[in-house]
Amino acid sequence: MTKRFRAPGRVNLIGEHTDYNDGFVMPAAIELETVATVGGSGWHSTDEPTGWTKYVEGVLKQLRQRGVAVPDVGLTFESTIPLGAGLSSSAALEVSAALAMLWAANGSMEKIEIAKACQQAEIETVGLGCGVMDQFASLHGVEGHAVMLDCRSLEHRLVPIPKNLALVIADTGVKHQLASSEYNARRADCEAAARKMGVSSLRDAATHGGDRRARHIVSENRRVLQFAEALAQEDRKAMGQLMAESHESLRVDYEVSCDELDAMVGAAQECVGLVGARMTGGGFGGSTINLVEAELASEFARQLAAGYRERTGIEARTYVTQAAAGAGPV
Ligand code: GLA
């Protein structure tokens, strides 16, 4: 008997780089996903680049460390998540592998523990000092909802996304080399700023104390809370404003945007049906998230690709999607 487990990618609506500062995030699982099939021997993948097995090894190690007796298990991975697009193909790989291994071991773990084990695999085996957002979203996503997570208490709340809004993801087609080292450098900046202010993390900073990195984190946490309100009220103007402010803050204060992301967000302003646009994920390339009137979403995506092409000469890949269900058996 073959057994299959799916794990979706994620897009973050707002709350960027706040997860490793004990702050708030609001991702949604998306319809693009990775499927792990248990069977045969060895690990195979139809599309992952060199180096993908270390994520699977990392997960195996973390599960065994937690006392799960994972046997030697054959796994084949297939994915519809584009690589390097900032849509958490690695979290989806980790989570699908974890579910498959748990099944093979006849074991079980709380979803939050699986998320933490997969996060730890990424920190230890890949060397990215990431937060828990991506793995959490892949596991806890619910169709039609964003997941608002408090990264300190790890409590979450589902926020319905109005049915007449579509998520349009636009992949800039670039992934800058710096991404991983700069990511770790931002994390170190935040920790240094927190120490200077005498707080355990920037979540607790009441003001930014003149520090640009802190100013992003403090203002972004506030924006997540306001965005949840705006979404509930279907207040399109407020949503658009908060997404624009988030992008500016990431560009100017946190310095994780790039010309291509700025061009994509700029191009979106001229397209039909836009509610709000910003970069999503770690930055330095990858994708933007656009909240768009659902009935205009395909036309929006067409116009956006054309506007981006005009500005950069690059062909963008766009995805009109909805918030999807979190990981589980197929
Ligand atoms: C990457 C990390 C997440 C998060 C985002 C930025 O996706 O894996 O933990 O920090 O960047 O918000």
Side-chain angles (χ1 to χ4, degrees):
M1 185 186 81
T2 60
K3 188 77 191 168
R4 308 171 80 217
F5 295 88
R6 51 170 289 281
R10 66 97 189 89
V11 70
N12 191 17
L13 299 187
I14 198 158
E16 219 65 84
H17 288 274
T18 43
D19 61 352
Y20 53 84
N21 286 292
D22 283 349
F24 300 103
V25 293
M26 207 193 295
I30 55 177
E31 288 161 329
L32 304 167
E33 63 184 22
T34 298
V35 174
T37 303
V38 185
S41 65
W43 295 341
H44 310 274
S45 166
T46 48
D47 44 22
E48 298 283 345
T50 355
W52 67 273
T53 51
K54 67 176 184 258
Y55 293 85
V56 184
E57 274 158 26
V59 170
L60 177 62
K61 180 173 157 216
Q62 293 298 325
L63 293 183
R64 286 185 174 158
Q65 272 180 12
R66 285 162 177 75
V68 183
V70 185
D72 275 342
V73 54
L75 296 172
T76 301
F77 298 93
E78 282 170 90
S79 186
T80 53
I81 310 171
L83 302 167
L87 302 175
S88 296
S89 60
S90 47
L93 172 61
E94 291 152 10
V95 170
S96 65
L99 294 183
M101 288 173 186
L102 279 164
W103 179 79
N106 219 346
S108 76
M109 256 167 92
E110 296 287 334
K111 280 198 254 180
I112 184 62
E113 296 308 322
I114 302 175
K116 287 199 261 180
C118 291
Q119 174 197 12
Q120 200 53 38
E122 186 134 351
I123 294 174
E124 280 181 30
T125 56
V126 187
L128 185 77
C130 65
V132 76
M133 168 170 75
D134 304 347
Q135 294 80 4
F136 190 96
S138 183
L139 280 151
H140 292 82
V142 171
E143 224 172 281
H145 293 73
V147 180
M148 181 163 155
L149 173 66
D150 178 334
C151 298
R152 170 168 280 165
S153 67
L154 295 178
E155 275 166 13
H156 74 286
R157 161 161 96 76
L158 296 175
V159 187
I161 300 175
K163 288 211 166 39
N164 51 19
L165 290 182
L167 308 179
V168 181
I169 295 166
D171 180 3
T172 60
V174 300
K175 180 81 201 165
H176 295 293
Q177 282 307 319
L178 295 168
S180 161
S181 58
E182 288 291 317
Y183 184 96
N184 290 340
R186 292 300 176 283
R187 186 172 182 148
D189 286 351
C190 289
E191 286 164 4
R195 267 197 304 278
K196 218 165 127 193
M197 291 181 206
V199 291
S200 67
S201 74
L202 289 180
R203 160 71 176 271
D204 299 319
T207 62
H208 49 77
D211 182 285
R212 278 186 305 157
R213 306 296 191 231
R215 184 160 63 193
H216 168 69
I217 301 302
V218 171
S219 63
E220 186 78 351
N221 276 330
R222 173 184 49 76
R223 281 188 288 272
V224 178
L225 302 176
Q226 291 175 338
F227 191 86
E229 260 319 285
L231 204 53
Q233 309 284 325
E234 300 199 26
D235 183 344
R236 288 165 161 70
K237 193 160 166 245
M239 287 186 247
Q241 177 97 33
L242 290 163
M243 289 175 82
E245 283 172 21
S246 170
H247 186 81
E248 271 310 281
S249 178
L250 288 157
R251 185 176 75 81
V252 178
D253 281 343
Y254 216 66
E255 296 179 287
V256 292
S257 188
C258 62
D259 290 347
E260 294 86 356
L261 284 167
D262 297 343
M264 192 73 88
V265 167
Q269 312 305 321
E270 292 166 15
C271 301
V272 67
L274 177 74
V275 172
R278 55 180 289 279
M279 58 159 276
T280 188
F284 301 101
S287 299
T288 67
I289 170 70
N290 302 271
L291 266 185
V292 179
E293 302 297 349
E295 55 186 28
L296 297 170
S298 10
E299 178 56 17
F300 172 90
R302 202 193 56 72
Q303 291 184 7
L304 181 59
Y308 181 68
R309 189 185 310 119
E310 213 168 90
R311 285 168 162 80
T312 62
I314 305 171
E315 286 299 324
R317 279 179 301 183
T318 58
Y319 304 87
V320 177
T321 183
Q322 305 236 332
V330 176

